[in-house]
């Protein structure tokens, strides 16, 4: 499991010997087999190896196959300014032209792009065709223009899972502005910090959203967030729930007023492929979130091609990725990938357990979903509720399953195959990151599977495992997972922080013969057959229900509480969420520990960072083990709290502090 390093679960995974061969029919009819036949490639190994070895030719071929270029590019990849790789130099492109316009103006005009399922069961499902989507996007794009939004301007989004979210993204991309989406479960401060960092000109939110059937406020948070963000000139508000909102005249504008009377046509900006498509913040080792930048050109290639090959999408498939669009999975595989392919996708607004644990399974039955892509944390939650929930519904429309976000433990994998996949469906366990934009290691429909392994690097990727010095480790051993060559949908930079971009991903192997190798930040091993097993993050980042949260960010929120002096945050293995957050807190002198105070600290973090980052347990301690330079040794705190050996602690400034850490398991 994430964060477990080389202990426990990892060993069990490595001993996995079960192999699940893909059914012949799936293999024979797969998109990837079609490609292999065309190229005269005989085996999966040959496919993966040839495309990766000749990665420039491969991505060139894919870019021509999957993307409509306004102007063809003259150079596939430019590495003259490493690590600022550039792709498709000389071309002109627009994501929204590829994702919407070419379908709306062609044979797919009346094909359904999205089936949107609202959370309240008394509200009607909406089906939106590519033609309708194009009109909505254009009206909104014209609305943005009327507010003065121009090419290169940033627009921050803070919205629930409603169709207006992809509409806004596509409109922003169409006019060459840059979107920055913040997951709507983040607190006002979380949103505000990100708006300020990217200096957004306009922000978009809703009056409220539905949570387990009840309307909840959202604009109030956005108001608080942008109150001290001087760059924000306008706040666009979509009316989702009808709840009361405060209104700032001159700044706030209703979505419906903005689009009223706007033309249904809007020409796409013809953009340099390196022009930024979006910024998405993710957690790093320090408390400060990093704004990962992605580029238009590469993004037109990556999500569509990987989705087509891995999930084998065909004209009549109904695709459902259950992620929230606020995370990278939603960006790539709810919005850009499926739309570029012109497939029909599901968007579900709400909780998996509303009104009961049958909601997802009913949705699959009602809309005849054929391919389901979800996260291990959801699978484990359903496992806990029992197989009788999915058993009530007809899931026979499903033909392929997927998993993302963290290692899927073999037990959950087997349950998923058995109870959702009718005991026969293959599971595509896709390993990737906000930074990579698309799947990197993943099975194809032709791959024999081992439960818990993301199998092999996809064609076009030179992904392997290095030791600290840049030597490839032999099969059977572990180390840092790296990409030796660039790829089109890779991150381009951090917004406003060149140095940190270099430091986090490239510095590790810069002074070795492997200069230009990308350090992913995960540990992995390969077994004797070359299957990859992801072990979790190298750095101090928690993985809670598939979300990356920096220990440092939670700690800094805790010490902002008036009674807290210092804090160390660790991840405790959690059956459902992967990890739960446990905090050890030193109180200010004169403050007495109490259960109320512990609750208060939790509430404080919830308010500052949002519910995902709230600790489930807070323990008050007198001291925390520190290095002589004053750095709190989380690793030692974690080992002691979980009952593992703490190792040699004699070099610590205060070895006696270890004794005061309570055992929490
Ligand atoms: C973890 C989510 C094991 C990993 C797409 C990675 C996984 C981080 C898997 C990125 C998987 C994601 N197996 N671990 N299939 N998928 N991870 O940026 O630690 O939210 O580095 O992107 O999630 O998280 P992010």
């Amino acid at each position: 499991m994430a964060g477990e390093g080389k202990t426990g679960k990892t060993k069990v995974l490595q001993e996995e010997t079960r192999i699940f061969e893909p059914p012949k029919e799936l293999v024979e009819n797969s998109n990837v087999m079609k490609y292999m036949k065309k190229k005269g490639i005989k085996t999966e190994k040959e496919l993966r190896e040839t495309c990766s070895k000749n990665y420039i030719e491969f991505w060139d071929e894919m870019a021509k196959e999957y993307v409509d270029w306004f102007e063809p590019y003259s150079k596939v990849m430019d590495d003259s300014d490493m690590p600022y790789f550039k792709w498709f130099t000389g071309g002109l492109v627009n994501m929204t032209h590829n994702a919407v316009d070419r379908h709306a103006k062609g044979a797919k005009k009346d094909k359904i792009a999205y089936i949107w399922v609202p959370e309240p069961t008394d509200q009607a499902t909406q089906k939106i065709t590519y033609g309708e989507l194009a009109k909505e996007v254009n009206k909104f794009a014209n609305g943005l223009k009327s507010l003065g939004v121009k090419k290169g301007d940033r627009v921050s989004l803070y919205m629930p899972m409603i169709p207006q979210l992809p509409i806004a993204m596509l409109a922003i991309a169409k006019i060459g502005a840059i979107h920055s989406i913040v997951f709507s479960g983040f607190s006002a401060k979380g949103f505000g910090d990100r708006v300020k960092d990217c200096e957004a000109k306009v922000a978009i939110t809703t009056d409220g959203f539905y949570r387990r059937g009840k309307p909840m406020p959202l604009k109030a948070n956005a108001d608080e967030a942008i109150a001290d963000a001087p760059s924000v000139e306008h706040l666009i508000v979509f009316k989702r729930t009808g709840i009361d909102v405060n209104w700032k005249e001159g700044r706030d504008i209703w979505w419906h007023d903005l689009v009223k009377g706007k033309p249904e046509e809007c020409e796409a900006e013809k953009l340099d492929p390196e022009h930024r498509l979006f910024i998405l913040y993710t957690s790093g080792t320090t408390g400060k979130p990093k704004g990962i930048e992605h580029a238009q050109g590469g993004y037109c290639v990556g999500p569509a091609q990987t989705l087509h090959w891995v999930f084998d999408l065909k004209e009549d498939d109904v695709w459902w990725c259950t992620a929230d669009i606020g995370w990278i999975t939603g960006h790539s595989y709810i919005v850009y990938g499926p739309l570029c392919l012109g497939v029909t996708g599901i968007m579900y607004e709400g909780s998996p357990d509303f009104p009961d644990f049958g909601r997802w399974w009913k949705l699959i039955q009602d809309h005849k979903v054929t391919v389901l892509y979800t996260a291990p944390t959801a699978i484990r939650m359903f496992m806990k509720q029992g197989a009788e929930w999915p058993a009530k519904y007809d899931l026979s429309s499903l033909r392929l399953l997927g998993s993302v976000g963290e290692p899927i433990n073999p037990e959950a994998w087997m349950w998923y195959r058995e109870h959702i996949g009718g005991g026969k469906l293959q599971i595509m366990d896709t390993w990737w990151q906000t930074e990579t934009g698309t799947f990197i290691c993943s099975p194809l429909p032709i791959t024999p599977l081992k439960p818990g392994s993301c199998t092999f690097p996809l064609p076009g990727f030179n992904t392997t495992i290095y030791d600290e010095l840049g030597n490839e480790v032999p099969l059977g051993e572990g180390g840092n997972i790296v990409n030796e060559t660039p790829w089109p949908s890779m991150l381009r930079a951090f917004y406003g922080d060149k140095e940190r971009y270099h430091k986090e991903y490239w510095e590790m192997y810069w002074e070795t013969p492997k200069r230009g190798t990308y350090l992913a930040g995960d540990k992995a091993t390969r077994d004797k057959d070359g299957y990859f097993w992801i072990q979790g993050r190298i750095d101090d980042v928690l993985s809670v229900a598939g979300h990356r949260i920096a220990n440092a960010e939670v700690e800094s929120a805790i010490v902002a509480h008036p009674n807290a002096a210092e804090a160390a945050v660790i991840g405790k293995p959690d059956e459902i969420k992967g990890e739960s957050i446990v905090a050890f807190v030193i109180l200010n002198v004169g403050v007495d520990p109490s259960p109320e105070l512990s609750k208060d600290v939790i509430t404080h973090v919830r308010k500052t960072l949002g519910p995902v980052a709230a600790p489930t347990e807070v323990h008050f301690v007198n001291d925390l083990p520190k290095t002589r330079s004053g750095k709190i040794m989380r690793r030692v705190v974690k080992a002691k709290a979980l009952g593992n050996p703490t190792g040699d602690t004699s070099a610590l400034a205060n070895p006696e502090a270890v004794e005061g850490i309570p055992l929490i398991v």
Side-chain angles (χ1 to χ4, degrees):
M1 252 185 224
E4 283 289 275
K6 288 188 175 133
T7 58
K9 294 253 151 125
T10 303
K11 272 223 138 51
V12 178
L13 290 178
Q14 284 178 315
E15 285 158 13
E16 181 62 62
T17 51
R18 287 170 290 194
I19 294 215
F20 294 87
E21 294 289 340
K24 210 164 167 238
E25 200 198 320
L26 177 68
V27 173
E28 280 310 309
N29 297 322
S30 65
N31 294 336
V32 67
M33 184 53 85
K34 209 167 135 194
Y35 176 83
M36 287 167 69
K37 284 187 180 148
K38 188 173 99 187
K39 302 294 257 192
I41 296 172
K42 295 279 175 298
T43 63
E44 175 175 6
K45 192 159 185 282
E46 188 190 341
L47 171 80
R48 297 208 190 230
E49 285 177 4
T50 343
C51 300
S52 296
K53 188 158 161 263
N54 307 316
Y55 73 99
I56 301 276
E57 290 79 359
F58 175 73
W59 288 119
D60 183 23
E61 190 186 355
M62 295 300 116
K64 290 187 169 120
E65 163 105 24
Y66 287 91
V67 186
D68 254 18
W69 298 90
F70 293 130
E71 194 64 55
Y73 49 86
S74 49
K75 191 168 176 136
V76 183
M77 194 272 289
D78 174 2
D79 61 0
S80 58
D81 185 23
M82 281 199 308
Y84 302 96
F85 297 94
K86 295 187 182 71
W87 286 85
F88 313 121
T89 314
L92 287 175
V93 74
N94 187 290
M95 171 54 95
T96 306
H97 168 78
N98 279 280
V100 187
D101 295 5
R102 60 173 169 166
H103 308 312
K105 295 212 161 82
K108 291 188 181 179
K109 179 169 172 281
D110 297 320
K111 180 167 177 173
I112 292 164
Y114 285 119
I115 301 174
W116 177 67
V117 183
E119 192 197 69
T121 46
D122 56 354
Q123 295 183 8
T125 293
Q126 270 178 34
K127 295 187 175 168
I128 305 160
T129 65
Y130 277 94
E132 289 161 347
L133 185 61
K135 281 185 197 162
E136 296 303 319
V137 168
N138 290 342
K139 282 197 288 185
F140 193 69
N142 288 320
L144 288 172
K145 281 187 182 175
S146 72
L147 295 180
V149 178
K150 291 187 297 292
K151 186 172 155 184
D153 285 340
R154 276 83 53 214
V155 180
S156 288
L157 284 69
Y158 187 52
M159 301 170 80
M161 284 285 286
I162 55 174
Q164 285 68 31
L165 177 49
I167 289 169
M169 293 163 79
L170 292 157
I172 292 163
K174 189 160 202 179
I175 63 174
I178 301 165
H179 60 72
S180 169
I181 305 180
V182 179
F183 174 55
S184 61
F186 274 134
S187 63
K189 183 175 183 304
F191 180 50
D193 286 349
R194 289 159 176 82
V195 170
K196 276 180 270 185
D197 188 79
C198 75
E199 300 158 299
K201 186 168 191 174
V202 165
I204 311 176
T205 190
T206 60
D207 54 347
F209 63 99
Y210 288 93
R211 156 93 47 85
R212 313 206 69 255
K214 280 202 231 48
M216 309 280 287
L218 189 61
K219 181 175 187 287
N221 273 2
D223 287 338
E224 195 185 324
I226 64 177
D228 64 342
S231 63
V232 178
E233 293 170 13
H234 292 285
L235 176 63
I236 304 170
V237 188
F238 181 79
K239 191 181 271 188
R240 170 64 188 113
T241 59
I243 57 177
D244 283 343
V245 290
N246 285 328
W247 204 253
K248 192 167 170 189
E249 282 309 326
R251 182 196 71 182
D252 297 351
I253 177 161
W254 285 111
W255 176 298
H256 54 258
D257 289 333
L258 181 69
V259 296
K260 201 182 290 166
K262 292 289 184 305
E264 291 179 352
E265 285 297 329
C266 170
E267 207 179 319
E269 283 281 328
K270 297 184 171 62
L271 301 165
D272 182 301
E274 283 301 307
H275 186 78
R276 302 302 188 242
L277 174 62
F278 65 85
I279 299 167
L280 182 57
Y281 287 87
T282 188
S283 298
T285 37
T286 72
K288 193 175 178 296
K290 27 185 205 191
I292 306 281
E293 295 181 20
H294 280 286
Q296 287 250 355
Y299 234 78
C300 289
V301 188
Q305 185 270 338
T306 49
L307 187 60
H308 199 225
W309 283 33
V310 171
F311 285 103
D312 197 37
L313 294 185
K314 307 271 168 48
E315 217 21 68
D316 53 357
D317 270 313
V318 178
W319 160 250
W320 185 18
C321 165
T322 66
D324 190 287
I325 293 177
W327 308 109
I328 193 71
T329 308
H331 280 61
S332 297
Y333 297 110
I334 297 178
V335 184
Y336 295 123
L339 294 180
C340 283
L341 292 178
V343 300
T344 297
I346 301 278
M347 231 181 113
Y348 172 53
E349 184 184 32
S351 314
D353 57 346
F354 183 79
D356 59 39
F357 285 96
R359 186 68 193 263
W360 278 20
W361 318 123
K362 181 170 184 322
L363 198 155
I364 290 173
Q365 169 182 284
D366 290 351
H367 299 288
K368 304 208 168 20
V369 172
T370 58
V371 187
L372 175 69
Y373 184 40
T374 189
T377 183
I379 304 295
R380 290 192 294 265
M381 181 199 73
F382 285 117
M383 250 172 99
K384 198 169 169 189
Q385 299 307 318
E388 54 278 19
W389 284 106
K392 285 187 205 168
Y393 300 92
D394 176 7
L395 305 181
S396 63
S397 55
L398 288 172
R399 67 178 195 90
L400 208 51
L401 303 174
S403 172
V404 60
E406 56 183 308
I408 177 163
N409 49 308
E411 194 191 352
W413 197 100
M414 292 304 299
W415 188 92
Y416 192 21
R417 179 174 167 102
E418 189 60 32
H419 297 287
I420 310 304
K424 56 178 199 291
L425 298 188
Q426 294 294 89
I427 299 168
M428 305 292 113
D429 176 7
T430 60
W431 173 81
W432 60 294
Q433 312 175 293
T434 303
E435 291 86 342
T436 68
T438 57
F439 315 143
I440 300 284
C441 284
S442 168
L444 289 161
I446 57 175
T447 312
L449 306 176
K450 296 190 188 187
S453 167
C454 59
T455 73
F456 309 105
L458 283 170
F461 295 93
N462 288 290
T463 306
T464 185
I465 301 175
Y466 277 4
D467 66 13
E468 315 251 303
L469 301 174
N471 305 307
E472 190 166 16
V473 304
L475 294 187
E477 286 182 28
N480 297 330
I481 187 161
V482 297
N483 280 355
E484 294 180 310
T485 53
W487 62 104
S489 65
M490 68 192 294
L491 78 168
R492 295 307 199 270
F494 286 175
Y495 186 79
D497 199 343
K498 270 198 151 182
E499 215 169 282
R500 204 173 154 204
Y501 167 72
H502 191 283
K503 194 163 185 295
E504 292 220 7
Y505 303 107
W506 312 95
E507 194 171 75
M508 180 91 177
Y509 300 114
W510 199 252
E511 297 306 335
T512 74
K514 308 293 177 52
R515 180 173 285 196
T517 292
Y518 168 83
L519 176 77
D522 279 343
K523 292 248 171 231
T525 61
R526 272 178 307 186
D527 65 19
K528 61 180 188 334
D529 302 321
Y531 279 71
F532 280 65
W533 301 85
I534 307 293
Q535 295 178 300
R537 313 272 316 158
I538 302 172
D539 49 20
D540 284 330
V541 176
L542 300 156
S543 170
V544 182
H547 304 318
R548 280 162 69 174
I549 296 158
N551 301 53
E553 201 171 3
V554 183
E555 287 161 1
S556 91
I558 293 175
V559 297
H561 186 284
N563 293 331
E566 287 185 89
V569 157
I570 65 161
K572 172 177 167 180
D574 180 284
E575 215 187 304
I576 293 173
K577 293 190 287 185
E579 285 186 302
S580 63
I581 301 177
V582 179
F584 298 88
V585 180
I586 304 178
L587 291 170
N588 286 331
V589 180
V591 179
D592 291 324
S594 68
E596 291 71 42
L597 188 52
S598 153
K599 270 195 212 128
D600 199 51
V601 169
I602 295 174
T603 314
H604 169 78
V605 179
R606 181 181 292 268
K607 275 204 197 121
T608 333
L609 299 176
V612 266
T616 43
E617 293 172 39
V618 171
H619 300 275
F620 297 113
V621 292
N622 291 325
D623 202 0
L624 288 163
K626 287 183 190 151
T627 60
R628 288 177 200 273
S629 63
K631 188 176 174 334
I632 295 175
M633 292 295 288
R634 290 191 198 106
R635 244 180 295 280
V636 175
V637 174
K638 182 168 180 174
K640 179 68 187 357
L642 300 181
N644 296 324
T646 50
D648 181 10
T649 55
S650 59
L652 295 177
N654 55 347
E656 65 289 350
V658 180
E659 284 319 302
I661 307 293
L663 190 67
I664 59 165
V665 283

